[in-house]
Amino acid sequence: NIFFRVGFVVAERILYIPSLGYCIILVYGLNCLYTRWKHLKKFQISVIYLLVILFSIRTILRNPVWHTRESLFRSGIETVPNNAKAHYNYANFLKDATRKEEAIFYYRAALKLCDSHASAHNNLGTLLSGSEAEYHFRQAIKHNPQHFKAFFNLGNNLWDS
């Protein structure tokens, strides 16, 4: 995720510990270079400064994405547009922000990418009504028989109709 895009949504906040191994290997490698080629001390220091500058720039460029929940989830869609979880996360944000039509669009996009996403079916059903909502609650139950919220929502939907 540092050097190139990955094919899935990565919670960057949990990458700090794994990146510690990367830092240890980098320092070890630089130490090996320093002990073998002491005459290249200026070059090695230049490489270290270059790495610090490059990673600082990368951090500065990435910071705006973390500014709001919306920018974070929109970034996920831009980074991995064929990932159902990215669309689902953004749809959840839109639903919480009471942007119903946009949320419906992104739940449908998530379901186009992964029709078996039970929570997307359930959440989409809560934004719809009647037989269309019932269909999505039943799909959620079909794909996850332990999805108690889908059972609850289906019961409410049937009670109201």
Side-chain angles (χ1 to χ4, degrees):
N1 201 10
I2 294 173
F3 300 111
F4 52 88
R5 294 180 180 159
V6 293
F8 54 91
V9 177
V10 176
E12 291 174 345
R13 66 189 177 280
I14 62 173
L15 289 177
Y16 292 120
I17 297 298
S19 68
L20 183 62
Y22 170 75
C23 292
I24 290 170
I25 290 170
L26 180 67
V27 169
Y28 177 75
L30 290 173
N31 186 42
C32 288
L33 287 175
Y34 178 73
T35 56
R36 286 188 185 169
W37 296 302
K38 289 185 181 183
H39 63 281
L40 295 177
K41 184 176 179 180
K42 287 183 182 180
F43 173 75
Q44 293 167 357
I45 290 173
S46 299
V47 168
I48 291 170
Y49 281 133
L50 178 66
L51 288 174
V52 169
I53 290 168
L54 288 175
F55 283 116
S56 296
I57 290 170
R58 178 68 175 133
T59 300
I60 290 167
L61 292 175
R62 187 72 177 146
N63 280 342
V65 170
W66 288 86
H67 218 279
T68 64
R69 279 183 64 209
E70 182 173 11
S71 63
L72 180 63
F73 293 134
R74 194 176 328 112
S75 167
I77 291 174
E78 291 166 3
T79 304
V80 282
N82 292 325
N83 185 284
K85 189 172 181 180
H87 289 276
Y88 172 75
N89 288 339
Y90 190 50
N92 282 339
F93 164 77
L94 294 168
K95 181 182 175 194
D96 293 344
T98 63
R99 292 161 56 183
K100 180 180 174 180
E101 295 305 316
E102 291 174 272
I104 289 171
F105 174 81
Y106 283 99
Y107 281 129
R108 290 187 194 277
L111 290 170
K112 280 183 185 175
L113 296 168
C114 179
D115 185 51
S116 62
H117 197 306
S119 292
H121 276 293
N122 179 62
N123 291 358
L124 177 57
T126 63
L127 297 174
L128 302 171
S129 59
S131 62
E132 193 176 9
E134 180 182 341
Y135 168 79
H136 286 288
F137 295 138
R138 290 189 186 278
Q139 287 297 306
I141 293 166
K142 173 185 166 189
H143 296 296
N144 181 1
Q146 283 77 41
H147 201 300
F148 69 92
K149 289 181 182 180
F151 279 105
F152 179 79
N153 291 330
L154 176 61
N156 281 338
N157 181 269
L158 292 174
W159 180 266
D160 291 340
S161 55

